Amino acid sequence: MPELADKQPSCAKDALTAGCLLLLTLVADVAAGLLAVIVLAVRGLGRIDAGSGQTAADSRPGDWTPVLCFGVLALAVGVTGVMLLRLGHRAIGAVQLVICVVLAGQSLRVWP
């Protein structure tokens, strides 16, 4: 029975490491999502103020802000998905990777 006693602390240590990594990836996803929402909201507010006096000849070049926001968000969610798959959470990791593909598609859709 000494073998069983030796394996229990390593399982608890693995669970603690997995829990800390899950918390870290959750915080990274939330931070990236909030940053993208804030940047896109501020960009939208700037367009409301500047859009009233523009004509067709005053058109600005393409805006890269949505592409970068969705791209960074897709990268954060993709890294989280890979991390979850490596930790053994296959269902959650697969959902994260699907969300990553959707966000990458959205980033390509708003490409100027």
Side-chain angles (χ1 to χ4, degrees):
M1 289 295 163
E3 299 117 16
L4 186 60
D6 292 337
K7 290 186 180 183
Q8 286 179 349
S10 67
C11 291
K13 187 176 179 180
D14 289 342
L16 179 66
T17 303
C20 288
L21 285 174
L22 285 173
L23 181 65
L24 181 65
T25 55
L26 176 67
V27 168
D29 279 350
V30 169
L34 285 176
L35 182 65
V37 166
I38 289 170
V39 168
L40 290 174
V42 168
R43 178 183 153 266
L45 289 176
R47 284 200 167 182
I48 290 173
D49 294 338
S52 60
Q54 278 190 345
T55 62
D58 294 338
S59 64
R60 293 182 281 179
D63 189 13
W64 288 92
T65 305
V67 176
L68 293 175
C69 285
F70 286 121
V72 167
L73 190 56
L75 180 67
V77 171
V79 168
T80 303
V82 170
M83 182 74 69
L84 288 168
L85 287 175
R86 290 185 59 93
L87 289 174
H89 300 280
R90 294 182 190 259
I92 301 170
V95 169
Q96 287 286 102
L97 290 178
V98 168
I99 293 171
C100 173
V101 169
V102 169
L103 287 170
Q106 178 69 12
S107 179
L108 290 174
R109 190 183 71 80
V110 297
W111 191 282

